[in-house]
Amino acid sequence: MPPRLIFFQARRTAIHAVRSSQQDRPSLCLRLAPQRSITTDEKPLPEAEKGSPGPNQEQLPHVSEEAASMNNITGDGGPEIEEQGTPVDEVLKRDKGSQAKAPKVMKEPMQPPSPKGTRSFSTSTRPRQGAVISFEDSGLQTTGHTFELPALPLAANMHTKYRYAPIVKQVTNLLMRDGKLSVAQRNMAMILNHLRTASPPSVNPDRPLLPGSPPASHLPLNPILYLTLAIDSVAPLLRIRAQKGMAGGGVALQMPVPLALRQRRRQAVMWILDSASKKPSRGSGRGGFAQKVAEEVIAVVEGRSGVWDRRGGIHKLAVSARANLNVRRR
């Protein structure tokens, strides 16, 4: 039979061992510094007079005011407080160390002293009257310039935002795809260059251009005028709008509506771009589309383009539908 275990005796032994280990540790004590208290035996602090500022409230006078008070005591003239700022040459004369570290311009011999009451150079800045002058009044020398200076005030069309012709800017925006303006500007430059270098067109008398246009032989000399004349010649004057319910029973009537100048040009450019996109490509390269558009513009001036037929069809339909303008809604 195994021996019996006594748990109470083992517990007492463990408690006695813990207590003996705690008694062997040294005791810790904290000593606090004695606090000082003011008693009646000590001498009280002096009190400030009534109306006088405290020790930290009195501000020192300004340097200029202090110098003025010292000069009044010694009998010398006070500093020019109104002329705020000190000449650089006077500062360098009083400080020998600054003369050695001064820039080369300051080390040069000083100019003769200016009359009393004036200063040739000062550290203070003052507003200058009449700073805005024209080129003619200033007498600027334009020698060495390739072109003369522009006359002031500048014209409204000399802003960089409006430096291109309106027709060029509108066609460029219509050429742009996916927001790539630089690509559209490059194509526009290629179109104008092709119009400038192409042979003069031969105008078809059955499809005349706008009245007052220059001779066909002069058009390549001004490619912007060349493009404007081609677009305005085929631009429609009207558009057809389908007005629903005007004839009764949900039947729509065709109503002619006049167009503004910018709307007319936009419709003509869209027709030209549509016809140019249907032409076959002559080769590869990024200038292929620009060349097709330029050839279509030349075809418009010569009367060979299908844009003329589209313009004539719109005008015929508008003339036949002008009677619908007097129809009232039922």
Side-chain angles (χ1 to χ4, degrees):
M1 185 175 179
R4 183 179 298 178
L5 298 179
I6 303 174
F7 295 98
F8 297 99
Q9 185 176 1
R11 182 181 177 183
R12 292 176 181 176
T13 307
I15 295 174
H16 178 71
V18 172
R19 291 181 178 178
S20 61
S21 61
Q22 293 179 355
Q23 293 177 1
D24 297 339
R25 294 180 182 177
S27 60
L28 300 177
C29 62
L30 297 177
R31 295 183 179 180
L32 300 177
Q35 297 181 357
R36 181 181 178 184
S37 59
I38 301 176
T39 59
T40 55
D41 299 338
E42 297 182 1
K43 186 177 180 181
L45 297 177
E47 297 181 359
E49 299 179 1
K50 294 184 180 180
S52 61
N56 296 332
Q57 297 179 356
E58 185 176 359
Q59 298 180 357
L60 296 176
H62 193 266
V63 177
S64 302
E65 298 176 358
E66 184 179 359
S69 60
M70 292 297 296
N71 290 329
N72 291 334
I73 296 173
T74 55
D76 299 335
E80 301 176 358
I81 300 180
E82 297 180 358
E83 299 286 342
Q84 297 181 359
T86 306
V88 178
D89 52 356
E90 297 180 5
V91 175
L92 293 177
K93 288 181 181 179
R94 293 196 299 263
D95 192 355
K96 301 298 181 181
S98 301
Q99 296 180 5
K101 299 179 181 180
K104 185 177 179 180
V105 180
M106 297 299 178
K107 293 182 180 180
E108 296 179 358
M110 298 292 180
Q111 298 180 358
S114 57
K116 187 176 181 181
T118 60
R119 294 185 175 182
S120 59
F121 184 80
S122 176
T123 57
S124 61
T125 58
R126 305 186 180 202
R128 300 175 59 183
Q129 301 294 334
V132 180
I133 56 176
S134 61
F135 294 123
E136 293 80 3
D137 299 338
S138 60
L140 297 176
Q141 300 295 331
T142 59
T143 57
H145 294 277
T146 306
F147 303 98
E148 297 181 357
L149 296 176
L152 296 180
L154 299 177
N157 59 354
M158 295 191 68
H159 194 279
T160 56
K161 188 177 180 180
Y162 310 103
R163 62 185 180 273
Y164 301 117
I167 186 66
V168 174
K169 186 177 180 181
Q170 185 176 6
V171 175
T172 303
N173 293 336
L174 294 175
L175 286 173
M176 182 172 54
R177 293 293 181 271
D178 301 331
K180 299 178 181 179
L181 181 60
S182 59
V183 178
Q185 290 176 346
R186 182 184 63 200
N187 292 335
M188 190 71 236
M190 291 182 181
I191 292 172
L192 296 178
N193 188 35
H194 188 81
L195 296 178
R196 183 180 60 84
T197 56
S199 58
S202 57
V203 181
N204 187 0
D206 296 336
R207 292 176 174 176
L209 302 177
L210 291 178
S213 59
S217 58
H218 295 177
L219 292 180
L221 301 178
N222 192 347
I224 298 180
L225 178 61
Y226 198 162
L227 180 65
T228 306
L229 185 62
I231 293 175
D232 290 345
S233 298
V234 295
L237 300 176
L238 304 168
R239 72 179 180 91
I240 304 301
R241 183 185 65 186
Q243 191 72 25
K244 295 182 179 181
M246 290 293 295
V251 180
L253 285 181
Q254 294 178 346
M255 309 286 291
V257 179
L259 298 177
L261 176 61
R262 188 174 178 86
Q263 294 174 331
R264 296 175 56 236
R265 287 179 173 177
R266 184 186 184 279
Q267 187 62 48
V269 172
M270 296 304 295
W271 286 345
I272 292 174
L273 295 180
D274 187 29
S275 300
S277 61
K278 296 178 181 179
K279 288 186 175 182
S281 300
R282 295 185 179 181
S284 61
R286 58 185 183 180
F289 181 72
Q291 184 178 2
K292 292 192 295 183
V293 174
E295 292 176 355
E296 186 66 23
V297 171
I298 297 175
V300 167
V301 176
E302 294 181 349
R304 299 181 289 102
S305 176
V307 179
W308 287 97
D309 298 334
R310 302 181 69 170
R311 175 179 180 270
I314 290 293
H315 284 182
K316 288 181 181 180
L317 187 58
V319 171
S320 62
R322 62 184 178 180
N324 298 334
L325 296 174
N326 298 328
V327 177
R328 296 182 180 181
R329 184 184 295 272
R330 295 181 180 180

